[in-house]
Amino acid sequence: MRVRHPALALVALTATVIAGAPFVGPPLDPDTSAFVLWQLRVPRVLMAALVGATLSVVGAAYQLVFNNPLATPSTVGTSAGAVLGVLVAVVLGQPSTTVNLPWLALAAFAGAVSTTAVVAALAASGRSRMQDVLLAGIAVTLAAGAVATAVESVADVGQRFTVSQWSLGHLPQVGYRGVLVLAPLLALAWGGVFSQARALHALTAGEDVARTQGVDVPRTRAIALGAGAIGVAACIAWCGPIGFVGLIVPHLVRLAGAASPRALLPLSLVAGMGFLIACDVAARVLVPGHEIPVGVVTAALGAPALLALLAAPGARGPR
Amino acid sequence: MDRRAGGDAVTTLALSAVTVARRGVELLTDVSLTLTAGELVVLVGPNGAGKSTLLRAALGLVRLARGRVTLDDREATSLSPRERAARVAWLPQTSGVSEPLTVADHVAAARFRFGENEVRARQGAARALAQVDATPLASRPLASLSGGERQRVALAAVLAQEAPLLLLDEPANHLDPRQRRETFLLVARLARAGRGILCVTHDIGVLAGLPAEGSTRVVGLRGGRVAFDLALDSPALTGHLGELFELRLSLAEHEGERALVTWWTQPEAGEPPCA
C-alpha cells in the first residue's frame, strides 16, 4: 500500500501539470492565441516533459548502477563533455553571438557521447569495480573541464557570452522540430534503461552478489550507461545542461515511498516530467517580462524540496 | 527457462588444485574440494585461513592462479552468469543494500535468473521467507531489521535463487547462541532435503550439535591449505580441530547429547592438544 498511493498521486499530479502548464502566463490575445498556444507553449511543455523524464530516469539508473545515491549523469562526464563540445564549436566555427542550435547541438552531442564512451568502455571491461568507474567519471569530468578552460582562454567576449548563455539551460521552442528530433533518441535511452530494470534491482545487493545471482554485470553497466548517455547527451545538446533534475527527482520519488527499483524507474520518469514542467512555468512567470534560466529554477526549487522532505518526520531517507 | 537446473542430474562442485594469489602472496594453495547435492560440508579455520577466498574462488569472483573449478564436469568459467546462478547461490559474510527496500523486494531481486514478472518473483520470495519462518517480515523495511532477522532474510534471499548448491559464509554471524543453534539446524535440514551446502564458520561449538547421520564433512583450512577433510563422526576430528586452532578441546557426552568443550589452558608443547 505504501507504494501504490504515492505512485497514483505522482501520476495525477504530473497529468495536472502537463494539462495546466500551457495556460499559465500572460493572458492570450485572441488574434495570436492559437499560435502562442500551439506553436510556443505546447511544444515547450512537451520538450520539458521529455527532457525532465530523461534526466530523472537516467539519474535513477545511474544511482543504481553505481550503488551511489550521489551519482548523476554529470558524474560520468556527460555534461562536461557537452560543454567542451559547445566551446570548441563556438571558438572554431561560429564566431557569432546568436545561438544556432543544430550546429551547437551536434557539437554538444559529440562531446557528451565521447567523454561518456571513455567511462562506459572502462565499465564494460570485465573486472573493473563500480568505484573505479565512478573515479574514472570524475577524472574525465575534471579533464574535460581543464581543456574547456584552456579553450575558453582563447575565446573572445562574444563567444564566451554565447557559451555561458547556452550553459544556463533553456527550453523555449518554436514548433515541434526539437521534439521530433529528440523523441527517437530519448525513446532509445528509456528502452535501454528499462531493459536493465531487473538487473539494476539485483545490483542493489552489491556487485558480487548480483554476479552470483546471474547478472552479467559488465553488460548491464554498459547498456545502462550507454543508453543513459545518449539520452542525456541529446537533452543537453538541445537545451543546454539543466542541473539537479537527475539528482533530486529520484530522491523525491524514494522519499515519497516508492522504494523498489522496479517502481523507482517508471515513477522517476513521470515525476521528472512534472518537475521540469513546473520549474519551466515558474521560470516563465516569476519575473514578469523576463525569463529566468530554467536551470536556476530547478536548483532553487529542487534543493529546498529535498531538504524539507529529508527533515520531515518519518522520512525514510535514502540511507 | 531452466527453472530447476540440476533437478535431474546431481549437481557437483569440484575445486581441483586451486591456487589464488594476490600481489604475489598465495591466499589459497592447491586446494581440492568437492561438494555434491545432499552433502553438508563445514569449512572451519582460524581467521585469515582463506575460507571466504575459497568460496569466492568457487563462485568465479576471483581469478585463479592455478587449478580449476568445475560444475558438473563443465569448467565454471565456460558457464554464463545465469547458468552458474542456476547451480550455486552465495551468502556473503557482509552485505549492504544501497536502496531503501522492503524485505520482500530484496528477496524477490535474488530471483533475477528466472527472468519472471514481478508477481511471480514476489510469490517466490514469499516461499523463501516461509522456509526460514520469516513471513511476518515481508513488508518491513530492510533497515529496520535486527541482526538475527537480517541474517534470516539473507538466508531467504539465497533460498529464493533455488540453486541446488549453497555456499554460506558465516550464516550465524552476529547471532545470539539460540539463534546460532537454530540457523545451523536449519542448514542441516536443508542439506537433508537435498541441497549441497558448503558452510564457513569459525564457531566450532556448533559441530557437536549437528546431526551426525548423513554425509556431513568437516574441512579444516590453515594458511590457505586444506589441513584435513573428515566425516563429522570421525573419532580423529576433535584432535585435528584442536591442532588447527591451537586449543585444548574435548568432546563431552551427557544423556546422549554431545558438546565440544574448549579448555582455557593452552596445550603444553609436545602434548597432544586434545584430551
PDB file of all heavy atoms in Angstrom, chain B residues 30 79 126 194-195:
ATOM      1  N   ASP B  30      46.813 -24.979  -3.735  1.00  0.00           N
ATOM      2  CA  ASP B  30      46.491 -26.363  -4.093  1.00  0.00           C
ATOM      3  C   ASP B  30      45.283 -26.907  -3.331  1.00  0.00           C
ATOM      4  O   ASP B  30      45.339 -28.010  -2.780  1.00  0.00           O
ATOM      5  CB  ASP B  30      47.702 -27.267  -3.812  1.00  0.00           C
ATOM      6  CG  ASP B  30      48.743 -27.140  -4.903  1.00  0.00           C
ATOM      7  OD1 ASP B  30      48.361 -26.783  -6.030  1.00  0.00           O
ATOM      8  OD2 ASP B  30      49.935 -27.382  -4.626  1.00  0.00           O
ATOM      9  N   LEU B  79      30.545 -21.271 -18.107  1.00  0.00           N
ATOM     10  CA  LEU B  79      29.114 -21.090 -17.885  1.00  0.00           C
ATOM     11  C   LEU B  79      28.764 -19.606 -17.906  1.00  0.00           C
ATOM     12  O   LEU B  79      29.558 -18.762 -17.483  1.00  0.00           O
ATOM     13  CB  LEU B  79      28.710 -21.668 -16.527  1.00  0.00           C
ATOM     14  CG  LEU B  79      28.933 -23.160 -16.316  1.00  0.00           C
ATOM     15  CD1 LEU B  79      28.676 -23.527 -14.858  1.00  0.00           C
ATOM     16  CD2 LEU B  79      28.024 -23.970 -17.216  1.00  0.00           C
ATOM     17  N   ALA B 126       8.013 -15.013  -1.227  1.00  0.00           N
ATOM     18  CA  ALA B 126       7.175 -15.413  -0.090  1.00  0.00           C
ATOM     19  C   ALA B 126       7.469 -16.867   0.301  1.00  0.00           C
ATOM     20  O   ALA B 126       7.540 -17.195   1.495  1.00  0.00           O
ATOM     21  CB  ALA B 126       5.696 -15.248  -0.455  1.00  0.00           C
ATOM     22  N   GLY B 194      18.194 -32.220   0.486  1.00  0.00           N
ATOM     23  CA  GLY B 194      18.780 -32.427  -0.835  1.00  0.00           C
ATOM     24  C   GLY B 194      19.697 -31.332  -1.347  1.00  0.00           C
ATOM     25  O   GLY B 194      20.286 -31.478  -2.412  1.00  0.00           O
ATOM     26  N   ARG B 195      19.817 -30.204  -0.607  1.00  0.00           N
ATOM     27  CA  ARG B 195      20.757 -29.187  -1.066  1.00  0.00           C
ATOM     28  C   ARG B 195      22.164 -29.625  -0.710  1.00  0.00           C
ATOM     29  O   ARG B 195      22.374 -30.339   0.270  1.00  0.00           O
ATOM     30  CB  ARG B 195      20.511 -27.856  -0.348  1.00  0.00           C
ATOM     31  CG  ARG B 195      19.092 -27.420  -0.341  1.00  0.00           C
ATOM     32  CD  ARG B 195      18.768 -26.620  -1.577  1.00  0.00           C
ATOM     33  NE  ARG B 195      17.442 -26.044  -1.447  1.00  0.00           N
ATOM     34  CZ  ARG B 195      17.094 -24.861  -1.927  1.00  0.00           C
ATOM     35  NH1 ARG B 195      17.986 -24.147  -2.570  1.00  0.00           N
ATOM     36  NH2 ARG B 195      15.880 -24.399  -1.780  1.00  0.00           N
TER      37      ARG B 195
END
